């Protein structure tokens, strides 16, 4: 038994990819630009903090974001009678199997507080840092020889340009360990008065999607800044937006520099450098940091006062270690433009996800680039966003949020279930850092986030089959499964447990009052209850009988005309466009989810028919990008590797020159579930799955593919 367990854990039996090889592959995709993009920055960051740069290496002409995990703002509460407090929100009651259940949905009678809860808090753009030129009207067109390169091996962004005949060289890094950007600038213009820096502070925007730039730059009420010079070489600016406040600590090297401002009616501070070689750090924190010296070599005990040299060394080491310790796919020896493009997407996604999504909260869809859904995160997307860190052997990045996030959100989730008359904990959807789920009809009726903890936990147990793993997930899985068992409704006439109505399935476009027994959710419920049950067995505890009863008596997966349907009895499946224009989640039951081991639950022929039908009729140009990865994973398990690659390189599934996943017709760019799901599909190609270890690449590529460090997926 022991031996078998060990064997299953062994990564695929291919040669290790050496560090030199990794370096060569990574750096061959280093991003180069010679002009600012109007849609995406170049970023340095650490997963909880990121700085988006334009072609100057700062934010001179394009106010890209400086976003963080902790920087949020509330607008003031409404003053409407009875709607002045979040407790005044009561939601709506809907009939649910013969009883009224309360859902957090916008209530027309309490519009103002409903909207407030949707829009608040929003993630804030902490600041804007750029160059000022002697000429205030200078534009990017006034720069010559613009060029920049982002070295993903060290996390260093190097930019240079010529202004008025003089060269300006800029380097930008992020500290892996604090919310700090380190900036080095070399130019004679710095001391001649031809070049300075500015720091500006925007107010929050009320837009659901605040992209490509976050914040309002001309709001002059409701926020304020104060400057405090904390030493000859440092200053702190406190920015207060209504009730929220944070600190920007600026530290520099050398004599004769000066920070001043803001000019009346603005929030713009000017920095002039006393030396032609400027070394500066700008760190952000919710609390004030002690005074610091940018040059101090001693490793400061406070993370927000780390010197530029310390940060450069830390960034170099962090990225080297990131690339060398995780799993790796090397397609560079494959002679095929498609393999090269897949490799490009993989490497750039690995960089961007470490910058934008390795956070202590679930990542938002647009990472730390700009704001989608006010900067909130969606718990049903969390698996797509983050499971790849496990599959690519980057566990410490996943442990930043797991299982702690679920633990923190348990109280809200127990309450949600209890108030609705269910057992256990019902996980929310569009969530802020306190765990509150924003009001919404879909938000309150979506259920596929519920078994995610089981997927994460089971994957972790594969890698770490020990008592610590079992213990740390036990309460979370128990609470999740208790809800799942009590949510399933025993239908006397059919003798099975139904899911819904009301509910929304993965495809969020069905009538919630008619939606019953959707294919994906039924399969996922069974999977989740199965994992929760084995979790108890592994600990020598008894398995709650309700879990087993529900797991073994769920409604059968709905089949219409030889294919799996969106939900049981959905009218005109495949012929009504409304049945085929959202996520094709039926493909998720044999790609993302492992097939059930019991016979008769799932029919592979029906899975095949469904995949074929999706390929024929699904208008994928309307879909969110992770559908392509989900379909690719489905194709892989069905044995069609070529089709899997075709999905991953589908013309609609786009990644820009820097690797940002293009939003498509529905959302702004970037939409990171695309990148994250791509890495999951790639991990499945490299590592295979239970019973079919990898690698699984197209036959023509196979002999030249090198993979390292992947275990089979569930
Ligand atoms: C700038 O970059 C574009 C795209 O990479 C390239 O086509 C163009 O030649 C470059 N221009 C200069 C002046 O380097
Ligand atoms: C916003 O207000 C809510 C409700 O009072 C509160 O729970 C949350 O902590 C506030 N967030 C911020 C960033 O002030
Ligand atoms: C709402 O506020 C008004 C004015 O303060 C009050 O007359 C009314 O009773 C309140 N209604 C509810 C439902 O609390
Ligand atoms: C679903 O039913 C509830 C009553 O239980 C009703 O208020 C709601 O409008 C219905 N929703 C839809 C989309 O039909
Ligand atoms: C700020 O700028 C926006 C967009 O240009 C404009 O619609 C708005 O009226 C301006 N607000 C103020 C207070 O000037
Ligand atoms: C400032 O706050 C007031 C009162 O809360 C609000 O009416 C106004 O819209 C806010 N101003 C901005 C620019 O958001
Ligand atoms: C810093 O600059 C401001 C504004 O230009 C000026 O008023 C102030 O005297 C300068 N301080 C020093 C120490 O140079
Ligand atoms: C047990 O698993 C945890 C992850 O859940 C891991 O951090 C730890 O190193 C493992 N302990 C042992 C003794 O293997
Ligand atoms: C019982 O199941 C059947 C078939 O799925 C369904 O049509 C019926 O509405 C269910 N009964 C109730 C009361 O929900
Ligand atoms: C079943 O499939 C056949 C052949 O494609 C088609 O003619 C028929 O209309 C379908 N029936 C239903 C109920 O969708
Ligand atoms: C490369 O990928 C494209 C898009 O999927 C596909 O059309 C093409 O046939 C592929 N080329 C090769 C040589 O496989």
């Amino acid at each position: 038994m022991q031996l078998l367990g060990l064997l299953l854990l062994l990564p695929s039996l291919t040669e290790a990819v050496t560090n030199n090889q990794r370096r060569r592959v990574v750096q061959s995709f280093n991003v180069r630009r010679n002009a600012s993009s109007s849609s995406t920055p170049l970023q340095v960051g650490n997963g909880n903090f990121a700085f988006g740069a334009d072609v100057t290496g700062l934010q001179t002409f394009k106010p890209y974001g400086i976003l963080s995990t902790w920087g949020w703002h509330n607008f003031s509460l409404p003053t409407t009678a009875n709607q002045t407090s979040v407790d005044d929100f009561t939601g709506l009651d809907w009939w649910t199997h013969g009883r009224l259940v309360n859902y957090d949905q916008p209530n027309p009678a309490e519009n103002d507080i409903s909207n407030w809860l949707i829009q608040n808090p929003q993630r804030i753009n902490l600041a804007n840092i750029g160059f000022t030129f002697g000429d205030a009207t200078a534009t990017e067109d006034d720069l010559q020889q613009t060029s920049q390169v982002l070295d993903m091996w060290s996390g260093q962004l190097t930019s240079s340009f010529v202004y008025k005949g003089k060269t300006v060289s800029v380097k930008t890094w992020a500290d892996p360990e604090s919310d700090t950007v380190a900036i080095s600038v070399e130019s004679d213009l710095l001391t001649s008065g031809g070049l300075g820096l500015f720091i500006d502070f925007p107010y929050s925007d009320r837009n659901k999607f605040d992209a490509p730039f976050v914040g309002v730059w001309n709001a002059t009420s409701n926020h304020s800044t104060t400057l405090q010079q904390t030493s000859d070489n440092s200053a702190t600016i406190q920015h207060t937006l209504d009730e929220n406040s944070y600190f920007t600590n600026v530290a520099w090297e050398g004599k004769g520099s000066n920070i001043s401002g803001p000019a009346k009616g603005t929030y713009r501070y000017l920095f002039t450098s006393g030396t032609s070689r400027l070394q500066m750090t700008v760190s952000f924190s919710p609390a004030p940091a002690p005074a610091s010296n940018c040059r101090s070599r001693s490793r400061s005990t406070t993370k927000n006062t780390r010197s530029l040299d310390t940060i450069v060394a830390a960034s170099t080491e962090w990225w080297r270690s990131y690339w060398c310790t995780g799993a790796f796919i090397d397609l560079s020896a494959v002679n095929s433009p498609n393999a090269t493009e897949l490799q490009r997407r993989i490497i750039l996604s690995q960089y961007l996800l470490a910058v934008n999504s390795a956070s202590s909260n679930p990542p938002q869809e647009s990472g730390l680039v700009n704001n989608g859904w006010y900067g909130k995160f969606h718990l049903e997307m969390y698996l797509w966003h983050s499971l790849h860190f496990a599959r690519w052997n980057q566990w410490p990045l996943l442990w930043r949020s797991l299982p702690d996030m679920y633990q923190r959100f348990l109280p809200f989730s127990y309450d949600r279930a209890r108030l609705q008359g269910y057992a256990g904990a019902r996980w929310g959807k569009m969530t802020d850092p306190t765990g509150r789920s924003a009001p919404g009809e879909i938000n309150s009726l979506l259920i596929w986030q519920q078994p995610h903890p089981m997927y994460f936990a089971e994957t972790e147990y594969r890698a770490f089959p020990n008592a610590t793993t079992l213990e740390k997930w036990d309460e979370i899985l128990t609470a999740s499964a208790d809800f799942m068992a009590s949510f399933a409704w025993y239908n006397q006439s059919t003798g099975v447990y139904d899911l819904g109505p009301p509910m929304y399935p993965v495809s969020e476009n069905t009538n919630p009052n008619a939606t019953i027994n959707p294919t994906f959710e039924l399969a996922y419920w069974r999977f989740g209850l199965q994992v929760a049950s084995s979790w108890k067995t592994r600990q020598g505890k008894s398995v709650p009988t309700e879990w087993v009863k529900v797991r073994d008596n769920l409604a059968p997966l709905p089949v219409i005309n030889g294919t799996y349907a969106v939900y049981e009895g959905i009218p005109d499946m495949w012929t009504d466009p409304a049945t085929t224009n959202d996520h094709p989640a039926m493909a998720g039951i044999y790609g993302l989810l492992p097939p059930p081991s019991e016979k008769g639950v799932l029919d592979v022929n029906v899975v095949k028919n469904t995949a074929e039908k999706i390929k024929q009729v699904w208008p994928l140009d309307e879909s969110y990008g992770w559908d392509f990865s989900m379909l690719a994973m489905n194709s892989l398990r069905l044995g069609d590797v070529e089709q899997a690659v075709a999905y991953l390189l589908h013309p609609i599934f786009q990644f820009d020159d820097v690797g940002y996943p293009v939003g498509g017709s529905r959302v702004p760019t970037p939409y990171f579930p695309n990148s994250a799901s791509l890495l999951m599909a790639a991990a499945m190609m490299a590592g295979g799955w239970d019973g079919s270890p990898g690698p699984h690449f197209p036959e023509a590529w196979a002999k030249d593919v090198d993979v390292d460090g992947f275990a089979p997926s569930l």
Side-chain angles (χ1 to χ4, degrees):
M1 263 327 263
Q2 284 283 1
L3 198 67
L4 191 65
L6 271 175
L7 281 176
L8 285 174
L9 274 175
L10 280 178
S12 7
L13 293 171
T14 42
E15 281 169 38
V17 182
T18 66
N19 291 350
N20 278 341
Q21 199 177 343
R22 290 169 184 236
R23 179 179 185 141
R24 186 176 47 71
V25 173
V26 170
Q27 290 189 321
S28 72
F29 295 99
N30 275 351
V31 177
R32 286 160 209 281
R33 272 184 178 172
N34 55 26
S36 300
S37 153
S38 55
S39 57
T40 58
L42 289 184
Q43 282 178 301
V44 292
N46 63 29
N48 282 307
F49 168 85
F51 179 93
D54 67 13
V55 77
T56 65
L58 300 180
Q59 300 157 334
T60 308
F61 300 113
K62 303 282 183 198
Y64 285 116
I66 306 178
L67 271 60
S68 68
T69 298
W70 52 263
W72 296 77
H73 163 253
N74 278 338
F75 288 109
S76 50
L77 280 154
T79 49
T80 333
N82 313 332
Q83 296 187 47
T84 56
S85 141
V86 296
D87 299 329
D88 293 333
F89 172 76
T90 60
L92 288 178
D93 292 340
W94 276 24
W95 288 104
T96 305
H97 292 299
R99 64 193 180 93
L100 280 172
V101 168
N102 185 260
Y103 296 96
D104 281 356
Q105 296 180 5
N107 183 335
E110 43 197 44
N111 222 356
D112 291 347
I113 192 65
S114 299
N115 282 336
W116 190 91
L117 282 165
I118 294 169
Q119 297 176 347
N120 290 278
Q122 334 79 46
R123 202 181 295 250
I124 50 179
N125 181 6
L126 297 172
N128 183 204
I129 303 173
F131 288 113
T132 58
F133 298 92
D135 175 1
T137 64
T139 68
E140 191 168 321
D141 290 339
D142 296 315
L143 309 187
Q144 290 87 43
Q145 297 174 42
T146 47
S147 91
Q148 61 186 164
V149 56
L150 175 63
D151 178 29
M152 293 183 285
W153 192 259
S154 62
Q156 174 177 308
L157 174 61
T158 307
S159 315
S160 72
F161 55 87
V162 169
Y163 178 70
K164 299 228 157 121
K166 302 269 192 211
T167 299
V168 180
S169 304
V170 190
K171 290 187 185 128
T172 323
W173 302 263
D175 189 357
E177 290 176 39
S178 72
D179 302 326
T180 307
V181 58
I183 301 165
S184 136
V185 185
E186 283 186 52
S187 178
D188 291 346
L189 284 173
L190 281 171
T191 42
S192 67
L195 188 71
L197 274 74
F198 71 84
I199 304 182
D200 204 348
F201 296 90
Y203 189 59
S204 272
D205 209 323
R206 288 172 200 271
N207 296 335
K208 176 174 177 181
F209 295 105
D210 212 12
F213 310 120
V214 181
V216 177
W217 304 90
N218 60 356
T220 50
S221 53
N222 305 1
H223 68 138
S224 63
T225 54
T226 55
L227 171 74
Q228 195 198 348
Q229 185 102 27
T230 43
S231 79
D232 287 349
N233 293 77
S234 64
T236 292
I237 301 164
Q238 179 172 6
H239 186 204
T240 303
L241 308 84
D242 301 288
E243 303 295 310
N244 303 107
S245 201
Y246 63 92
F247 298 84
T248 302
N249 307 295
V250 189
W252 58 88
E253 174 207 351
K255 288 198 193 314
S257 301
N258 182 11
I259 186 163
S260 63
K264 220 176 171 50
T266 78
Y267 301 88
R268 199 172 165 102
Y269 290 84
L270 296 179
F271 179 88
T272 52
S273 176
T275 56
S276 60
R277 184 161 177 269
L278 169 65
Q279 308 228 329
M280 175 187 265
T281 63
V282 185
S283 75
F284 299 88
S285 60
S292 70
N293 182 333
C294 176
R295 271 315 259 189
S296 73
R297 286 204 171 254
S298 66
R299 207 180 159 90
S300 166
T301 46
T302 333
K303 286 195 169 165
N304 283 305
T305 59
R306 284 151 64 86
S307 74
L308 183 132
D309 289 346
T310 306
I311 290 169
V312 173
S315 170
T316 308
E317 173 50 25
W318 194 91
W319 283 102
R320 195 199 60 78
S321 157
Y322 174 71
W323 293 112
C324 291
T325 57
F328 203 85
I329 296 178
D330 180 358
L331 304 177
S332 62
V334 180
N335 182 17
S336 149
N338 281 0
T340 308
E341 174 58 14
L342 188 58
Q343 178 87 78
R344 184 187 80 91
R345 293 175 179 206
I346 288 172
I347 296 291
L348 292 174
S349 296
Q350 284 182 270
Y351 179 79
L352 290 174
L353 293 171
V355 167
N356 287 285
S357 302
S359 131
S360 51
N361 276 327
Q364 71 164 330
E365 264 61 331
S366 52
L368 299 170
V369 177
N370 54 48
N371 274 354
W373 292 271
Y374 310 97
K376 297 183 185 186
F377 37 85
H378 300 282
L379 294 193
E380 87 285 9
M381 291 311 299
Y382 184 38
L383 187 85
W384 281 119
H385 271 296
S386 301
L387 189 73
H388 66 92
F389 286 126
R391 303 285 294 113
W392 285 72
N393 202 15
Q394 298 285 359
W395 286 97
L397 301 188
L398 190 55
W399 288 331
R400 288 178 179 180
S401 59
L402 279 185
D404 166 72
M405 178 282 287
Y406 284 117
Q407 203 71 48
R408 274 189 289 135
F409 294 172
L410 261 181
F412 253 116
S413 306
Y414 278 129
D415 280 354
R416 189 178 292 116
R418 185 175 43 76
L419 294 171
Q420 296 184 338
Y422 297 113
R426 180 174 197 163
W427 302 112
K429 204 256 186 201
M430 173 178 154
T431 305
D432 69 46
T434 67
R436 188 192 300 278
S437 187
E441 191 174 299
I442 293 171
N443 295 354
S444 64
L445 293 169
L446 210 66
I447 63 168
W448 65 285
Q449 68 272 40
Q450 189 67 27
H452 285 350
M454 283 78 165
Y455 204 128
F456 282 118
E458 187 66 15
T459 305
E460 184 163 348
Y461 189 73
R462 289 293 184 91
F464 304 97
N466 68 36
T468 311
T469 308
L470 291 170
E471 270 158 35
K472 72 178 174 186
W473 282 99
D474 192 47
E475 183 188 4
I476 294 164
L477 295 202
T478 303
S480 303
D482 281 344
F483 171 77
M484 288 164 66
S486 76
F487 177 83
W489 186 78
Y490 187 67
N491 186 324
Q492 296 282 357
S493 57
T494 54
V496 297
Y497 285 91
D498 288 336
L499 299 183
M503 64 163 290
Y504 273 100
V506 175
S507 51
E508 299 175 348
N509 65 345
T510 64
N511 174 352
N513 290 328
T515 302
I516 179 170
N517 295 329
T519 295
F520 181 80
E521 283 75 1
L522 280 175
Y524 208 12
W525 237 244
R526 157 176 270 281
F527 166 86
L529 290 170
Q530 175 60 41
V531 171
S533 302
S534 40
W535 214 259
K536 291 294 179 197
T537 310
R538 286 168 185 154
Q539 293 174 92
K541 297 180 182 173
S542 62
V543 180
T545 50
E546 278 304 299
W547 300 0
V548 177
K549 212 160 64 182
V550 172
R551 182 195 68 196
D552 294 343
N553 294 284
L554 279 166
L557 302 181
V559 176
I560 293 180
N561 217 9
T563 58
Y564 285 121
V566 171
Y567 68 82
E568 181 183 310
I570 184 173
D572 305 316
M573 182 69 218
W574 305 112
T575 51
D576 179 352
T579 65
T580 58
N581 72 358
D582 205 288
H583 301 292
M586 302 88 76
I589 66 169
Y590 201 70
L592 178 63
L593 303 187
S597 49
E598 297 78 6
K599 286 215 180 334
V601 178
L602 174 144
D603 181 338
V604 178
N605 283 319
V606 180
V607 172
K608 275 187 195 146
N609 294 344
T610 311
E612 191 52 38
K613 195 78 186 174
I614 290 170
K615 192 178 154 195
Q616 284 165 14
V617 308
W618 212 277
L620 286 171
D621 43 342
E622 290 293 314
S623 67
Y624 291 100
W626 52 270
D627 294 343
F628 294 99
S629 309
M630 180 168 66
L631 291 167
M633 292 165 80
N634 184 228
S635 300
L636 281 175
R637 215 186 284 261
L638 284 171
D640 193 346
V641 179
E642 310 285 340
Q643 181 60 53
V645 172
Y647 276 131
L648 295 181
L649 296 176
H650 192 284
I652 303 294
F653 193 43
Q654 283 299 323
F655 294 76
D656 78 1
D657 63 319
V658 181
Y660 288 103
V662 174
S665 60
R666 296 207 186 191
V667 288
T669 297
Y671 182 70
F672 280 114
N674 296 5
S675 319
S677 65
L678 174 91
L679 290 191
M680 276 175 55
M684 200 170 169
M685 293 177 102
W689 53 93
D690 282 353
S692 185
H696 296 286
F697 286 94
E699 216 174 304
W701 306 6
K703 67 176 179 6
D704 298 317
V705 170
D706 213 350
V707 304
D708 189 359
F710 291 95
S713 71
L714 299 180

